[in-house]
Amino acid sequence: MDVELYDFELPEHLIAQTPLLDRTASRLLTLNKETGHIEHHQFSHILEELKPGDTLVLNDTRVLPARLFGTKEDTGAKAEVLLLKNLSGDKWETLVKPGKKLKKGSVIVFGDELKALVEEEGEMGGRVLNFQYSGIFNEILDRLGQMPLPPYIKEKLEDKERYQTVYARHEGSAAAPTAGLHFTEELLDQIRAKGVTIAFVTLHVGLGTFRPMSVDRVEDHVMHEEYYILPQETADILNETKARGGRVVAVGTTSARTLETVAGKCEDGNIVKSSGWTGIFIYPGYQFRLVDCLITNFHLPKSTLVMLVSALAGRERILKAYQEAIEREYRFFSFGDAMLIY
């Protein structure tokens, strides 16, 4: 399957640069995956789309202020580091700029509080860094780090919390699970009051978010692994939901990938608690085991995420919906509008 099949033209002015003041004021395109029927609403309309007995699954990961700006100790040249994954202790998998100058043995200095030694070199700017500091690393990171906004966002983010979901709890992500940015505590309370159960999974978003596909055939792409946790409480809720005929509504592709990873490990169909690393790649031809509906943002052309939503609703339906969203000037990507596939 050719990656080019998932390409589309997106006018640059439709890439959302800043979040809306009101999280629920974004727009919502609803797509029936069986018929292709499309409707247009405000995001708060999601309350009407959810049914008593459904379960809404949220990814409660919290984004680290993982972008650090420093200098090379020996030359004073500028260096940028993006933390991706804690390997052990003070060792981190990172992306660095400029990659060519930050060789093994280089030392990067971030003010007076923090240094990092380049211990290993990887591909495309990948480095393993060993950090040296006094005090508590996360507190230093809070002071020195910036939110790791995607490269297509050029505007400065005034409020760090707008790149966090209101239910973010477990620190570890290099990017936000952006479908969840549309929810407020008030809307979640209204959803619960309607008889919809809310359950949580954790998936720490990593390197795959930042790396484009570099292959021509979809099947040749290898996903970078990310760490997930599905607790027993969520497993119980999912089993009860399926038993009563309710729908499992995943909020975001990260929740969907976590759910499908766990479902793939359960031979008898009974979901049990699980944690570990997932590199699941969902593209057309995949049969969903657990996810019935998906709330998601609009994704980059030729991305694994466009392929995931195409697996759920069909490539032609997705591209038609995207074209309609472009014609109606929906806002795209991380701070953009949302889509419900049901």
Side-chain angles (χ1 to χ4, degrees):
M1 199 163 27
D2 193 339
V3 170
E4 294 295 329
L5 290 170
Y6 298 88
D7 197 12
F8 58 91
E9 287 291 323
L10 179 70
E12 196 171 336
H13 74 277
L14 295 184
I15 301 172
Q17 293 296 314
T18 53
L20 298 178
L21 202 58
D22 175 6
R23 289 174 184 260
T24 64
S26 49
R27 294 159 78 186
L28 177 71
L29 182 151
T30 61
L31 171 65
N32 185 308
K33 64 180 187 276
E34 305 299 335
T35 67
H37 179 68
I38 294 170
E39 290 184 6
H40 303 278
H41 305 277
Q42 187 173 319
F43 188 78
S44 53
H45 173 80
I46 200 72
L47 190 61
E48 309 305 314
E49 296 288 341
L50 296 170
K51 302 173 182 176
D54 286 348
T55 289
L56 192 69
V57 182
L58 308 172
N59 179 8
D60 61 8
T61 187
R62 187 168 176 82
V63 186
L64 289 164
R67 180 163 273 132
L68 290 162
F69 295 92
T71 56
K72 216 175 154 213
E73 189 175 51
D74 56 352
T75 65
K78 289 182 179 177
E80 181 182 336
V81 171
L82 177 64
L83 304 181
L84 293 174
K85 184 166 79 180
N86 182 229
L87 298 174
S88 65
D90 296 318
K91 279 191 185 183
W92 284 79
E93 181 183 348
T94 70
L95 284 178
V96 301
K97 285 187 198 172
K100 288 180 181 174
K101 300 204 173 159
L102 294 166
K103 302 290 187 187
K104 185 175 179 179
S106 298
V107 175
I108 309 167
V109 180
F110 310 93
D112 300 328
E113 297 182 86
L114 190 62
K115 282 186 180 182
L117 171 68
V118 179
E119 291 200 341
E120 293 176 36
E121 291 182 48
E123 297 176 354
M124 297 170 68
R127 298 290 185 275
V128 172
L129 300 187
N130 196 334
F131 285 90
Q132 300 152 23
Y133 55 91
S134 295
I136 298 170
F137 184 72
N138 278 14
E139 289 181 0
I140 295 169
L141 201 57
D142 266 342
R143 287 193 292 276
L144 301 181
Q146 294 186 16
M147 278 297 164
L149 296 178
Y152 49 75
I153 293 178
K154 313 297 183 193
E155 298 280 332
K156 187 168 186 255
L157 181 64
E158 297 301 329
D159 177 9
K160 276 186 183 181
E161 285 303 306
R162 279 305 271 109
Y163 196 56
Q164 305 279 16
T165 62
V166 297
Y167 47 81
R169 283 188 299 204
H170 303 295
E171 278 199 334
S173 266
T178 53
L181 296 178
H182 304 284
F183 290 88
T184 61
E185 292 288 6
E186 182 184 11
L187 179 57
L188 290 170
D189 286 343
Q190 291 171 331
I191 288 168
R192 288 186 186 96
K194 189 171 181 178
V196 175
T197 307
I198 292 177
F200 294 95
V201 296
T202 305
L203 182 133
H204 294 317
V205 189
L207 187 64
T209 298
F210 298 93
R211 287 224 168 129
M213 292 184 77
S214 57
V215 296
D216 296 325
R217 289 189 344 131
V218 172
E219 296 86 347
D220 294 338
H221 179 68
V222 178
M223 294 286 281
H224 196 273
E225 291 195 334
E226 296 164 314
Y227 190 74
Y228 76 91
I229 303 166
L230 188 142
Q232 187 61 50
E233 182 184 2
T234 298
D236 294 340
I237 289 169
L238 293 169
N239 290 325
E240 289 163 11
T241 303
K242 288 297 187 182
R244 66 173 175 256
R247 300 178 302 173
V248 173
V249 183
V251 176
T253 56
T254 59
S255 297
R257 290 177 63 243
T258 303
L259 292 169
E260 291 302 310
T261 295
V262 175
K265 294 181 173 185
C266 303
E267 292 178 13
D268 62 357
N270 193 52
I271 303 300
V272 296
K273 72 175 182 178
S274 178
S275 64
W277 297 91
T278 179
I280 190 171
F281 180 20
I282 297 174
Y283 56 88
Y286 178 86
Q287 296 296 313
F288 283 82
R289 297 175 171 92
L290 198 49
V291 173
D292 299 302
C293 310
L294 177 66
I295 298 167
T296 185
N297 282 19
F298 291 90
H299 304 295
L300 279 77
K302 297 193 286 188
S303 65
T304 60
L305 304 182
V306 166
M307 293 166 195
L308 186 152
V309 295
S310 296
L312 187 60
R315 183 183 71 90
E316 290 182 2
R317 285 193 181 126
I318 288 293
L319 291 180
K320 180 175 179 290
Y322 270 49
Q323 194 53 48
E324 195 162 317
I326 289 166
E327 287 166 5
R328 291 175 177 250
E329 302 224 311
Y330 273 63
R331 302 163 79 244
F332 272 63
F333 306 161
S334 295
F335 287 139
D337 295 315
M339 177 184 209
L340 167 68
I341 302 170
Y342 67 96

Coordinates of all heavy atoms in Angstrom, one line a residue, residues 4-84:
E4 N 1.6 7.4 -0.5 CA 1.0 8.6 -1.2 C -0.5 8.6 -1.2 O -1.2 9.6 -1.4 CB 1.5 8.6 -2.6 CG 3.0 8.9 -2.7 CD 3.4 10.3 -2.2 OE1 2.6 11.2 -2.3 OE2 4.6 10.4 -1.7
L5 N -1.1 7.4 -1.0 CA -2.6 7.3 -0.9 C -3.2 8.1 0.2 O -4.4 8.4 0.2 CB -3.0 5.8 -0.8 CG -2.8 4.9 -2.0 CD1 -3.0 3.5 -1.6 CD2 -3.7 5.3 -3.2
Y6 N -2.3 8.5 1.2 CA -2.8 9.2 2.4 C -2.4 10.6 2.4 O -2.3 11.3 3.4 CB -2.3 8.4 3.6 CG -2.9 7.1 3.7 CD1 -2.2 6.0 3.1 CD2 -4.1 6.8 4.3 CE1 -2.8 4.7 3.1 CE2 -4.7 5.6 4.3 CZ -4.0 4.5 3.7 OH -4.6 3.3 3.6
D7 N -2.1 11.1 1.2 CA -1.7 12.5 1.0 C -2.9 13.4 0.7 O -3.9 12.9 0.2 CB -0.6 12.7 -0.1 CG 0.1 14.0 0.0 OD1 0.0 14.7 1.0 OD2 0.8 14.3 -1.0
F8 N -2.8 14.7 1.1 CA -3.9 15.6 0.8 C -3.2 17.0 0.9 O -2.3 17.2 1.6 CB -5.1 15.5 1.7 CG -4.9 15.7 3.1 CD1 -4.9 16.9 3.8 CD2 -4.6 14.5 3.9 CE1 -4.7 17.0 5.1 CE2 -4.3 14.7 5.3 CZ -4.4 15.9 5.9
E9 N -3.8 18.0 0.2 CA -3.3 19.4 0.2 C -4.0 20.1 1.4 O -5.2 20.2 1.5 CB -3.7 20.1 -1.1 CG -2.8 19.6 -2.3 CD -1.4 20.0 -2.2 OE1 -1.1 21.2 -1.7 OE2 -0.5 19.2 -2.6
L10 N -3.2 20.7 2.2 CA -3.7 21.4 3.4 C -3.2 22.9 3.3 O -1.9 23.1 3.4 CB -3.3 20.8 4.7 CG -3.8 21.6 5.9 CD1 -5.3 21.4 6.1 CD2 -3.1 21.0 7.2
P11 N -4.0 23.9 3.1 CA -3.6 25.3 3.2 C -2.9 25.6 4.5 O -3.5 25.2 5.6 CB -4.9 26.1 3.0 CG -5.8 25.1 2.3 CD -5.5 23.8 2.9
E12 N -1.8 26.3 4.5 CA -1.0 26.5 5.7 C -1.8 27.3 6.7 O -1.6 27.1 7.9 CB 0.3 27.2 5.4 CG 1.3 27.2 6.5 CD 2.7 27.7 6.1 OE1 3.0 27.7 4.9 OE2 3.4 28.1 7.0
H13 N -2.7 28.2 6.3 CA -3.4 29.0 7.2 C -4.4 28.2 8.1 O -4.9 28.8 9.1 CB -4.1 30.2 6.5 CG -5.4 29.8 5.8 ND1 -5.3 29.3 4.5 CD2 -6.7 29.8 6.1 CE1 -6.5 29.0 4.1 NE2 -7.4 29.3 5.0
L14 N -4.7 27.0 7.7 CA -5.6 26.1 8.5 C -4.9 25.4 9.7 O -5.5 24.7 10.5 CB -6.3 25.1 7.6 CG -7.2 25.8 6.6 CD1 -8.0 24.7 5.8 CD2 -8.2 26.7 7.2
I15 N -3.5 25.5 9.8 CA -2.8 24.9 10.9 C -2.9 25.8 12.1 O -2.4 26.9 12.1 CB -1.3 24.7 10.5 CG1 -1.2 23.8 9.3 CG2 -0.6 24.1 11.7 CD1 0.3 23.7 8.7
A16 N -3.7 25.3 13.1 CA -4.0 26.1 14.3 C -2.7 26.4 15.0 O -1.9 25.5 15.3 CB -4.9 25.4 15.2
Q17 N -2.4 27.7 15.3 CA -1.2 28.1 16.0 C -1.4 28.4 17.5 O -0.4 28.3 18.2 CB -0.7 29.4 15.3 CG -0.2 29.3 13.9 CD 1.0 28.3 13.8 OE1 1.9 28.5 14.5 NE2 0.9 27.4 12.9
T18 N -2.6 28.6 17.9 CA -2.8 28.9 19.3 C -4.1 28.2 19.7 O -5.0 28.0 18.9 CB -3.0 30.4 19.6 OG1 -4.0 30.9 18.7 CG2 -1.7 31.1 19.4
P19 N -4.2 27.8 21.0 CA -5.5 27.2 21.5 C -6.6 28.2 21.6 O -6.3 29.4 21.9 CB -5.1 26.6 22.8 CG -3.9 27.4 23.3 CD -3.2 27.9 22.1
L20 N -7.8 27.8 21.5 CA -9.0 28.6 21.7 C -9.1 28.9 23.2 O -8.6 28.1 24.1 CB -10.3 28.0 21.3 CG -10.4 27.7 19.8 CD1 -11.7 27.0 19.5 CD2 -10.2 29.0 18.9
L21 N -9.6 30.1 23.6 CA -9.8 30.4 25.0 C -10.7 29.4 25.7 O -10.3 29.0 26.8 CB -10.4 31.8 25.1 CG -10.2 32.6 26.4 CD1 -8.7 32.8 26.6 CD2 -10.9 34.0 26.3
D22 N -11.8 29.0 25.1 CA -12.7 28.0 25.6 C -12.4 26.7 25.0 O -12.5 26.6 23.7 CB -14.1 28.5 25.4 CG -15.1 27.4 25.9 OD1 -14.7 26.4 26.4 OD2 -16.3 27.6 25.6
R23 N -12.0 25.7 25.7 CA -11.6 24.4 25.2 C -12.8 23.8 24.4 O -12.5 23.1 23.4 CB -11.2 23.4 26.3 CG -9.9 23.8 26.9 CD -9.6 22.8 28.1 NE -8.4 23.2 28.9 CZ -7.2 22.6 28.7 NH1 -7.1 21.5 27.9 NH2 -6.2 22.9 29.4
T24 N -14.0 24.0 24.8 CA -15.1 23.3 24.2 C -15.7 24.1 23.0 O -16.6 23.6 22.3 CB -16.3 23.0 25.2 OG1 -16.8 24.3 25.6 CG2 -15.8 22.2 26.4
A25 N -15.1 25.2 22.7 CA -15.6 26.1 21.6 C -15.0 25.6 20.2 O -15.4 26.1 19.2 CB -15.2 27.5 21.8
S26 N -14.1 24.6 20.2 CA -13.7 24.1 18.9 C -14.8 23.4 18.2 O -15.8 23.1 18.7 CB -12.5 23.1 19.1 OG -12.8 22.2 20.1
R27 N -14.6 23.2 16.9 CA -15.6 22.6 16.1 C -15.5 21.1 16.1 O -14.5 20.5 16.5 CB -15.6 23.1 14.7 CG -15.9 24.6 14.6 CD -15.3 25.2 13.3 NE -16.2 24.9 12.1 CZ -15.8 25.3 10.9 NH1 -14.7 25.9 10.7 NH2 -16.6 24.9 9.9
L28 N -16.6 20.4 15.8 CA -16.6 18.9 15.8 C -17.3 18.4 14.5 O -18.4 18.8 14.2 CB -17.4 18.4 17.0 CG -17.6 16.9 17.1 CD1 -16.3 16.2 17.5 CD2 -18.7 16.6 18.1
L29 N -16.5 17.7 13.7 CA -17.1 17.0 12.6 C -17.4 15.6 13.0 O -16.6 14.9 13.6 CB -16.1 17.0 11.4 CG -16.5 16.3 10.1 CD1 -15.7 17.0 8.9 CD2 -16.2 14.8 10.1
T30 N -18.7 15.1 12.8 CA -19.0 13.8 13.1 C -19.1 12.9 11.8 O -19.7 13.4 10.8 CB -20.4 13.7 13.8 OG1 -21.4 14.2 13.0 CG2 -20.3 14.4 15.1
L31 N -18.5 11.7 11.8 CA -18.5 10.9 10.6 C -19.0 9.5 11.0 O -18.4 8.8 11.9 CB -17.0 10.8 10.1 CG -16.8 9.7 9.0 CD1 -17.5 10.1 7.7 CD2 -15.3 9.6 8.7
N32 N -20.1 9.1 10.3 CA -20.6 7.7 10.5 C -19.7 6.8 9.7 O -19.6 6.9 8.5 CB -22.0 7.6 10.0 CG -22.7 6.3 10.3 OD1 -22.1 5.2 9.9 ND2 -23.8 6.3 10.9
K33 N -19.0 5.8 10.4 CA -18.1 5.0 9.7 C -18.7 3.9 8.8 O -18.1 3.4 7.9 CB -17.1 4.3 10.7 CG -17.8 3.3 11.7 CD -16.7 2.7 12.6 CE -17.2 1.6 13.5 NZ -17.9 2.2 14.7
E34 N -20.0 3.7 9.0 CA -20.7 2.7 8.1 C -21.3 3.4 6.9 O -21.2 2.8 5.8 CB -21.9 2.1 8.9 CG -21.5 1.4 10.2 CD -20.5 0.3 10.1 OE1 -20.4 -0.3 9.0 OE2 -19.7 0.1 11.0
T35 N -21.8 4.6 7.0 CA -22.5 5.2 5.9 C -21.7 6.4 5.2 O -22.0 6.8 4.1 CB -23.9 5.8 6.3 OG1 -23.6 6.9 7.3 CG2 -24.7 4.8 7.0
G36 N -20.8 6.9 6.0 CA -20.0 8.1 5.5 C -20.7 9.4 5.8 O -20.2 10.5 5.4
H37 N -21.9 9.4 6.4 CA -22.6 10.6 6.7 C -21.8 11.6 7.6 O -21.3 11.2 8.6 CB -24.0 10.3 7.4 CG -24.8 11.5 7.7 ND1 -25.4 12.3 6.7 CD2 -25.1 12.1 8.9 CE1 -26.1 13.2 7.3 NE2 -25.9 13.1 8.6
I38 N -21.8 12.8 7.2 CA -21.0 13.9 7.9 C -21.9 15.0 8.4 O -22.9 15.4 7.7 CB -20.0 14.5 7.0 CG1 -18.9 13.4 6.6 CG2 -19.3 15.7 7.6 CD1 -18.0 13.9 5.5
E39 N -21.7 15.4 9.7 CA -22.4 16.6 10.2 C -21.3 17.5 10.9 O -20.2 17.1 11.2 CB -23.4 16.2 11.2 CG -24.6 15.5 10.6 CD -25.7 15.1 11.6 OE1 -25.6 15.6 12.8 OE2 -26.7 14.5 11.2
H40 N -21.7 18.8 11.1 CA -20.8 19.7 11.7 C -21.5 20.4 12.9 O -22.6 20.8 12.9 CB -20.5 20.8 10.6 CG -19.9 20.2 9.4 ND1 -18.6 19.9 9.2 CD2 -20.6 19.9 8.2 CE1 -18.4 19.4 8.0 NE2 -19.6 19.4 7.4
H41 N -20.7 20.4 14.0 CA -21.2 20.9 15.3 C -20.1 21.7 16.0 O -18.9 21.8 15.5 CB -21.6 19.7 16.2 CG -22.6 18.9 15.6 ND1 -24.0 19.1 15.6 CD2 -22.5 17.7 14.9 CE1 -24.6 18.2 14.9 NE2 -23.8 17.3 14.5
Q42 N -20.4 22.2 17.2 CA -19.4 22.7 18.1 C -19.0 21.5 19.0 O -19.8 20.6 19.2 CB -20.0 23.8 19.0 CG -18.9 24.5 19.9 CD -19.5 25.7 20.6 OE1 -20.2 26.5 19.9 NE2 -19.1 25.9 21.8
F43 N -17.8 21.5 19.6 CA -17.4 20.3 20.4 C -18.3 19.9 21.5 O -18.4 18.8 21.8 CB -15.9 20.5 20.9 CG -15.4 19.2 21.5 CD1 -14.9 18.2 20.6 CD2 -15.4 19.0 22.8 CE1 -14.5 17.0 21.1 CE2 -15.0 17.8 23.4 CZ -14.5 16.8 22.5
S44 N -18.9 20.9 22.2 CA -19.8 20.6 23.3 C -20.9 19.7 22.9 O -21.5 19.1 23.7 CB -20.3 21.9 23.9 OG -20.9 22.7 22.9
H45 N -21.2 19.6 21.6 CA -22.2 18.7 21.1 C -21.9 17.2 21.3 O -22.8 16.4 21.2 CB -22.4 18.9 19.6 CG -23.3 17.9 18.9 ND1 -24.7 18.0 19.0 CD2 -23.1 16.8 18.2 CE1 -25.3 17.0 18.3 NE2 -24.3 16.3 17.8
I46 N -20.7 17.0 21.7 CA -20.2 15.6 22.0 C -21.1 14.9 23.0 O -21.4 13.7 23.0 CB -18.8 15.5 22.4 CG1 -18.2 14.1 22.2 CG2 -18.5 16.0 23.8 CD1 -18.0 13.7 20.8
L47 N -21.7 15.8 23.9 CA -22.6 15.3 24.9 C -23.8 14.6 24.3 O -24.3 13.6 24.9 CB -23.0 16.5 25.8 CG -23.8 16.2 27.1 CD1 -23.0 15.3 28.1 CD2 -24.2 17.5 27.8
E48 N -24.3 15.1 23.2 CA -25.4 14.6 22.5 C -25.1 13.3 21.8 O -26.0 12.4 21.6 CB -26.0 15.6 21.5 CG -26.3 17.0 22.0 CD -27.2 16.9 23.2 OE1 -28.2 16.2 23.2 OE2 -26.9 17.7 24.2
E49 N -23.9 13.1 21.4 CA -23.4 11.9 20.7 C -23.2 10.7 21.6 O -23.3 9.6 21.1 CB -22.2 12.2 19.8 CG -22.4 13.3 18.8 CD -23.2 12.8 17.6 OE1 -23.3 11.6 17.4 OE2 -23.7 13.6 16.8
L50 N -22.8 11.0 22.8 CA -22.5 9.9 23.8 C -23.8 9.4 24.3 O -24.8 10.1 24.6 CB -21.6 10.4 24.9 CG -20.2 10.8 24.4 CD1 -19.4 11.5 25.6 CD2 -19.4 9.6 23.9
K51 N -23.9 8.1 24.6 CA -25.1 7.4 25.0 C -24.9 6.8 26.4 O -23.8 6.4 26.8 CB -25.5 6.3 24.1 CG -25.7 6.7 22.6 CD -25.9 5.5 21.8 CE -26.1 5.9 20.3 NZ -26.2 4.7 19.4
P52 N -26.0 6.8 27.3 CA -25.9 6.1 28.5 C -25.4 4.7 28.3 O -25.9 4.0 27.4 CB -27.3 6.1 29.1 CG -27.9 7.3 28.4 CD -27.3 7.4 27.1
G53 N -24.5 4.2 29.1 CA -23.9 2.9 28.9 C -22.6 2.8 28.2 O -21.9 1.9 28.2
D54 N -22.3 4.0 27.5 CA -21.0 4.1 26.8 C -19.9 4.3 27.9 O -20.1 4.7 29.0 CB -20.9 5.3 25.9 CG -21.8 5.1 24.6 OD1 -22.2 3.9 24.3 OD2 -22.0 6.1 23.9
T55 N -18.6 4.0 27.5 CA -17.5 4.3 28.3 C -16.5 5.2 27.4 O -16.2 4.8 26.3 CB -16.7 3.0 28.8 OG1 -17.6 2.4 29.8 CG2 -15.4 3.4 29.4
L56 N -16.1 6.3 28.0 CA -15.2 7.2 27.4 C -13.8 6.9 28.0 O -13.7 7.0 29.2 CB -15.7 8.6 27.7 CG -15.0 9.8 27.0 CD1 -15.4 9.8 25.5 CD2 -15.4 11.1 27.6
V57 N -12.8 6.6 27.1 CA -11.5 6.3 27.6 C -10.5 7.4 27.3 O -10.3 7.8 26.2 CB -11.0 5.0 27.0 CG1 -9.6 4.6 27.5 CG2 -12.0 3.8 27.2
L58 N -9.9 8.0 28.4 CA -9.0 9.1 28.3 C -7.6 8.7 28.6 O -7.4 7.9 29.5 CB -9.5 10.2 29.3 CG -10.9 10.6 29.3 CD1 -11.2 11.6 30.4 CD2 -11.2 11.3 28.0
N59 N -6.6 9.3 28.0 CA -5.2 9.1 28.3 C -4.8 10.2 29.2 O -4.7 11.4 28.9 CB -4.4 9.2 27.0 CG -2.9 9.0 27.2 OD1 -2.5 8.7 28.3 ND2 -2.1 9.2 26.2
D60 N -4.4 9.8 30.5 CA -4.1 10.8 31.5 C -2.6 11.1 31.6 O -2.1 11.5 32.7 CB -4.7 10.3 32.9 CG -4.1 9.0 33.3 OD1 -3.1 8.5 32.7 OD2 -4.6 8.5 34.4
T61 N -1.8 10.9 30.6 CA -0.4 11.2 30.6 C -0.3 12.8 30.7 O -1.2 13.5 30.3 CB 0.3 10.8 29.3 OG1 1.7 11.0 29.5 CG2 -0.2 11.5 28.1
R62 N 0.8 13.2 31.3 CA 1.1 14.6 31.4 C 2.4 14.9 30.7 O 3.4 14.2 30.7 CB 1.2 15.0 32.9 CG 1.4 16.5 33.2 CD 1.2 16.8 34.7 NE 1.4 18.2 34.9 CZ 0.5 19.2 34.6 NH1 -0.7 18.8 34.2 NH2 0.8 20.4 34.8
V63 N 2.4 16.0 30.0 CA 3.5 16.4 29.1 C 4.6 17.0 30.0 O 4.4 17.9 30.8 CB 3.1 17.4 28.0 CG1 4.3 17.7 27.1 CG2 1.9 16.9 27.3
L64 N 5.8 16.5 29.8 CA 7.0 17.1 30.5 C 7.4 18.4 29.7 O 7.3 18.5 28.5 CB 8.2 16.2 30.4 CG 8.2 14.9 31.2 CD1 9.2 13.9 30.7 CD2 8.4 15.3 32.7
P65 N 7.8 19.5 30.4 CA 8.4 20.6 29.7 C 9.8 20.2 29.2 O 10.8 20.6 29.7 CB 8.5 21.7 30.8 CG 8.5 20.9 32.1 CD 7.8 19.6 31.9
A66 N 9.7 19.4 28.1 CA 10.8 18.6 27.7 C 11.8 19.2 26.7 O 12.7 18.6 26.3 CB 10.3 17.3 27.1
R67 N 11.6 20.5 26.3 CA 12.5 21.1 25.4 C 13.4 22.1 26.2 O 13.0 22.9 26.9 CB 11.7 21.9 24.3 CG 12.6 22.6 23.3 CD 11.8 23.1 22.1 NE 11.8 22.0 21.1 CZ 10.7 21.6 20.5 NH1 9.5 22.1 20.8 NH2 10.7 20.6 19.6
L68 N 14.7 21.8 26.0 CA 15.7 22.5 26.8 C 16.7 23.2 25.8 O 17.0 22.7 24.7 CB 16.6 21.6 27.6 CG 15.9 20.9 28.8 CD1 16.7 19.7 29.3 CD2 15.8 21.9 29.9
F69 N 17.1 24.5 26.1 CA 18.0 25.2 25.3 C 19.3 25.5 26.1 O 19.2 26.0 27.2 CB 17.3 26.6 24.9 CG 16.1 26.4 24.0 CD1 14.9 26.3 24.5 CD2 16.3 26.3 22.6 CE1 13.8 26.1 23.7 CE2 15.2 26.1 21.8 CZ 13.9 26.0 22.3
G70 N 20.4 25.1 25.5 CA 21.7 25.2 26.2 C 22.8 25.6 25.2 O 22.5 26.1 24.1
T71 N 24.0 25.4 25.7 CA 25.2 25.7 24.8 C 26.2 24.5 25.0 O 26.2 23.9 26.0 CB 25.9 27.0 25.2 OG1 26.2 26.9 26.6 CG2 25.0 28.2 25.0
K72 N 27.0 24.4 23.9 CA 28.0 23.4 24.0 C 29.1 23.9 24.9 O 29.6 25.0 24.7 CB 28.5 23.1 22.5 CG 28.9 21.7 22.3 CD 29.3 21.5 20.8 CE 30.2 20.3 20.8 NZ 31.2 20.4 19.8
E73 N 29.6 23.1 25.8 CA 30.5 23.6 26.8 C 31.8 24.1 26.3 O 32.3 25.1 26.7 CB 30.8 22.5 27.9 CG 31.5 23.0 29.1 CD 31.7 21.9 30.1 OE1 32.1 20.8 29.8 OE2 31.4 22.1 31.3
D74 N 32.3 23.4 25.3 CA 33.7 23.8 24.8 C 33.7 25.0 23.8 O 34.6 25.7 23.7 CB 34.4 22.6 24.1 CG 33.6 22.0 23.0 OD1 32.4 22.3 22.8 OD2 34.1 21.1 22.3
T75 N 32.5 25.2 23.1 CA 32.5 26.2 22.0 C 31.5 27.3 22.3 O 31.6 28.4 21.7 CB 32.2 25.6 20.7 OG1 30.9 25.1 20.7 CG2 33.2 24.5 20.3
G76 N 30.5 27.1 23.2 CA 29.5 28.1 23.4 C 28.4 28.1 22.4 O 27.5 28.9 22.4
A77 N 28.5 27.1 21.4 CA 27.5 27.1 20.3 C 26.2 26.7 20.9 O 26.1 25.9 21.8 CB 28.0 26.1 19.3
K78 N 25.1 27.2 20.3 CA 23.7 26.9 20.8 C 23.4 25.4 20.6 O 23.8 24.9 19.6 CB 22.7 27.8 20.1 CG 22.8 29.3 20.6 CD 21.7 30.1 19.9 CE 21.8 31.5 20.4 NZ 20.8 32.4 19.7
A79 N 22.6 24.9 21.5 CA 22.2 23.5 21.4 C 20.7 23.4 21.9 O 20.4 24.0 22.9 CB 23.1 22.6 22.2
E80 N 19.9 22.6 21.2 CA 18.6 22.3 21.6 C 18.4 20.8 21.9 O 18.8 20.0 21.1 CB 17.6 22.8 20.6 CG 16.1 22.6 20.9 CD 15.2 23.1 19.8 OE1 15.6 23.9 19.0 OE2 14.1 22.6 19.8
V81 N 17.7 20.5 23.0 CA 17.5 19.1 23.4 C 16.0 18.9 23.6 O 15.3 19.7 24.3 CB 18.3 18.7 24.6 CG1 17.9 17.4 25.1 CG2 19.8 18.8 24.4
L82 N 15.5 17.8 23.1 CA 14.1 17.4 23.4 C 14.1 16.0 24.0 O 14.6 15.0 23.5 CB 13.3 17.3 22.1 CG 11.9 16.8 22.2 CD1 11.0 17.8 23.0 CD2 11.2 16.6 20.8
L83 N 13.7 16.0 25.3 CA 13.6 14.7 26.0 C 12.5 13.8 25.5 O 11.4 14.3 25.3 CB 13.4 15.0 27.5 CG 14.3 15.9 28.3 CD1 13.9 16.0 29.7 CD2 15.7 15.4 28.2
L84 N 12.8 12.6 25.2 CA 11.8 11.7 24.7 C 11.4 10.5 25.7 O 10.3 10.2 25.8 CB 12.3 11.0 23.4 CG 12.5 12.0 22.2 CD1 13.1 11.3 21.0 CD2 11.1 12.6 21.8

